[in-house]
């Protein structure tokens, strides 16, 4: 596997936005070893690409991703199962720590590891056809990709327990009211909406956008005082950056800033 020969992913760059599309449509994009390795490789490579300022991640067909490949689970021994979980962790970390912002354009089922995939992104835009859920309880399991703790921090313990213990699916509108979906669109407007949002992000000062991603993700588990100290330290660095100086000069000169990511 190399970046140019993925089996399960398609990639395309346009106007500073990288579109990554998962293709295993006949299995609702259920995640096997190969797909996981490709997603990890893809997201580790993105950080080296100065031409990519935002990423849109989506799926084909009825699935965004219907979770781990349950058929694969059927043939795993405990060692293989742990190795699969570990690779999953590496994949989610590659996305969470990707410096550029990642938009999940959720076209259909985002279940189990697929919901955890969306929760590893920075912005979630969902089609009216999207369905979210952590149904592992129905297999006698619990989610292993970080979703339990993430959803509990987003929706609170009572709703998180209801969702994970029932394993029920949520609509995109429910996701929006529970604050893990930013925007809901008609199915045929999903990609245009996600692309427009990504292009807007690609036009912002890259270092400031990347700083905001880190500050919000890393500040969440720090004390307020510590997190606010991070904010001030990033601000001081950005003030000295070429983009910071360009943004200030452009405002004073009443012109559009040209941000270079420096
Ligand atoms: N792992 C492996 N295969 C999966 C899968 C998964 N997580 N999710 C769906 N598929 C496969 C189905 O087995 C089926 O394959 P087949 O055509 O060879 O039989 C194909 O994808 C289409 O799915 P199907 O169940 O026929 O579609 P549906 O519209 O009737 O139901 C779901 C859709 C999402 C409700 C149902 O597929 C489902 O419950 N999937 C499992 C979701 C899950 O538990 N994820 C967490 C895993 S830890």
């Amino acid at each position: 596997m190399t970046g140019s020969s993925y089996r399960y992913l398609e990639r395309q760059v346009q106007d500073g936005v990288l579109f990554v599309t998962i293709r295993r449509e006949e299995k609702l994009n259920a995640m096997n070893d190969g797909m996981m390795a490709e997603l990890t490789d893809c997201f580790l490579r993105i950080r080296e690409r100065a031409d990519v300022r935002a990423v849109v991640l989506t799926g084909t067909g009825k699935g965004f991703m219907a979770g781990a490949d349950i058929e694969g689970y059927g043939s795993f021994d405990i060692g293989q199962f742990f190795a699969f979980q570990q690779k999953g962790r590496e994949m989610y970390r590659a996305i969470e720590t990707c410096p550029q912002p990642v938009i999940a354009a959720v076209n259909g089922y985002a279940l189990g590891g697929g919901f955890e995939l969306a929760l590893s992104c920075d912005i979630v835009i969902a089609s009216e056809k999207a369905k979210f859920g952590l149904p592992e309880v129905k297999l006698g399991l619990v989610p292993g990709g970080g979703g339990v703790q993430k959803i509990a921090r987003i929706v609170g313990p009572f709703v998180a327990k209801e969702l994970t213990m029932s394993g029920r699916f949520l609509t995109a509108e429910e996701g929006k009211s529970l604050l893990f979906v930013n925007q809901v669109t008609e199915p045929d407007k999903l990609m245009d909406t996600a692309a427009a949002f990504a292009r807007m992000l690609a036009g912002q000062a890259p270092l400031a956008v990347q700083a905001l991603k880190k500050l919000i993700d890393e500040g969440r588990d720090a004390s307020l005082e510590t997190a606010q100290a991070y904010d001030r330290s990033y601000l001081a660095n950005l003030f000295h950056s070429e983009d910071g100086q360009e943004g200030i000069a452009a405002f004073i000169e009443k012109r559009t800033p040209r941000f270079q990511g420096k």
Side-chain angles (χ1 to χ4, degrees), residues 26-28 30 62 66-71 73 109 111-112 135-136 139 169:
E26 70 287 0
K27 294 289 179 187
L28 305 184
K62 285 199 303 174
D69 188 327
I70 304 170
E71 287 170 21
Y73 274 13
Y109 289 111
L111 303 175
E136 283 84 347
L139 303 172
F169 298 169

Side-chain angles (χ1 to χ4, degrees), residues 60-99:
T60 40
K62 285 199 303 174
F64 173 68
M65 181 191 280
D69 188 327
I70 304 170
E71 287 170 21
Y73 274 13
S75 63
F76 284 167
D77 62 25
I78 186 73
Q80 288 166 318
F81 184 72
F82 277 129
F84 187 83
Q85 297 302 322
Q86 178 56 32
K87 282 187 203 155
R89 191 67 224 124
E90 286 161 16
M91 178 193 76
Y92 294 120
R93 280 308 287 162
I95 298 169
E96 289 160 357
T97 61
C98 174

Side-chain angles (χ1 to χ4, degrees), residues 42-231:
C42 172
F43 277 90
L44 290 178
R45 284 170 191 270
I46 291 171
R47 64 196 66 208
E48 286 151 21
R49 293 190 56 170
D51 61 320
V52 173
R53 292 192 174 183
V55 183
V56 174
L57 176 62
T58 192
T60 40
K62 285 199 303 174
F64 173 68
M65 181 191 280
D69 188 327
I70 304 170
E71 287 170 21
Y73 274 13
S75 63
F76 284 167
D77 62 25
I78 186 73
Q80 288 166 318
F81 184 72
F82 277 129
F84 187 83
Q85 297 302 322
Q86 178 56 32
K87 282 187 203 155
R89 191 67 224 124
E90 286 161 16
M91 178 193 76
Y92 294 120
R93 280 308 287 162
I95 298 169
E96 289 160 357
T97 61
C98 174
Q100 296 94 327
V102 183
I103 297 167
V106 180
N107 50 303
Y109 289 111
L111 303 175
F115 189 5
E116 291 170 314
L117 187 68
L119 291 172
S120 299
C121 298
D122 304 298
I123 301 285
V124 178
I125 299 180
S127 150
E128 286 164 348
K129 287 192 174 165
K131 291 269 188 290
F132 298 85
L134 292 170
E136 283 84 347
V137 71
K138 294 179 181 171
L139 303 172
L141 304 172
V142 297
V148 175
Q149 304 310 327
K150 276 188 186 165
I151 200 70
R153 281 162 167 77
I154 298 166
V155 304
F158 290 92
V159 177
K161 286 174 192 169
E162 186 251 312
L163 298 181
T164 55
M165 290 178 186
S166 68
R168 79 175 173 92
F169 298 169
L170 287 85
T171 63
E173 281 298 345
E174 283 179 282
K176 187 156 189 294
S177 63
L178 287 173
L179 303 181
F180 62 78
V181 169
N182 294 81
Q183 194 177 339
V184 182
T185 74
E186 289 169 29
D188 61 356
K189 301 213 171 97
L190 175 68
M191 289 315 290
D192 284 349
T193 306
F197 194 88
R199 278 197 299 275
M200 178 279 290
L201 288 180
Q204 305 281 41
L207 298 181
V209 171
Q210 292 175 18
L212 289 164
K213 175 168 176 164
K214 272 177 87 81
L215 286 169
I216 291 167
D217 286 344
E218 291 174 13
R220 196 174 35 214
D221 294 321
S223 72
L224 185 61
E225 203 180 333
T226 303
Q228 289 176 336
Y230 290 151
D231 294 354

